[in-house]
Amino acid sequence: MDDGQHEITGNDTKAKRVDYGAKKRRIILMLLAYSTFLGIVEGIFPDTDAPTNFVVSLPLLILGVSWCFTDAAERNFRVGRVTSLLLILFLALGLPIYLLRTRGFGAFKTLALTLCLIGVMLACTVVAAFVTAYAGNAVGLLNPVS
């Protein structure tokens, strides 16, 4: 299994180089997997309250912020305090600011790809919730959804 680190050997020095691209892809896969998990939870427990939704959604925020910090490390970019705070407290505002600072006008392409990712995550959530509810109803474990 590839841990994302490759050894670079020189004359007498050994340094480790992190494969940031692979690390960012793993974060995206974790976002998709967690979105699917949220769909399964929604299929089993369709009615949840706001505090529960916040706690259950927290890993999505953590993964999103970790993607930003991994991307910053890949670009040798230091994320400032204000941007870090925005990323953590209000990702929907902090992410575009971070992307504009690191990519300039290329940020719009990345934002479009981010919106596509969010669409796929929503699709994973909805499909997983539907399949879970349907399977639960078929075997009699869950009440029919009205």
Side-chain angles (χ1 to χ4, degrees):
M1 185 167 129
D2 183 20
D3 63 355
Q5 296 183 352
H6 305 284
E7 213 172 290
I8 301 171
T9 57
N11 294 337
D12 292 308
T13 61
K14 289 186 179 180
K16 291 207 174 192
R17 181 177 54 97
V18 177
D19 185 357
Y20 292 109
K23 191 172 182 180
K24 290 191 304 186
R25 284 188 297 276
R26 280 193 303 272
I27 292 170
I28 290 171
L29 289 174
M30 286 188 274
L31 282 166
L32 292 170
Y34 193 73
S35 296
T36 304
F37 169 75
L38 287 178
I40 293 169
V41 170
E42 180 66 26
I44 296 170
F45 307 108
D47 298 322
T48 56
D49 55 350
T52 303
N53 286 337
F54 173 74
V55 171
V56 170
S57 299
L58 201 54
L60 293 173
L61 174 67
I62 293 168
L63 288 169
V65 171
S66 67
W67 184 93
C68 291
F69 280 99
T70 301
D71 184 71
E74 178 182 38
R75 296 172 181 278
N76 292 323
F77 180 81
R78 186 181 172 280
V79 180
R81 289 182 186 171
V82 174
T83 306
S84 295
L85 193 62
L86 278 173
L87 285 170
I88 293 167
L89 295 179
F90 195 58
L91 186 63
L93 180 62
L95 180 63
I97 290 171
Y98 165 74
L99 292 174
L100 283 168
R101 291 186 69 204
T102 58
R103 289 168 173 78
F105 285 112
F108 295 108
K109 177 184 172 188
T110 306
L111 285 172
L113 291 171
T114 302
L115 290 175
C116 290
L117 174 63
I118 291 170
V120 172
M121 289 169 57
L122 286 172
C124 288
T125 304
V126 169
V127 169
F130 177 76
V131 169
T132 302
Y134 182 78
N137 290 335
V139 295
L141 294 175
L142 298 175
N143 295 331
V145 179
S146 49

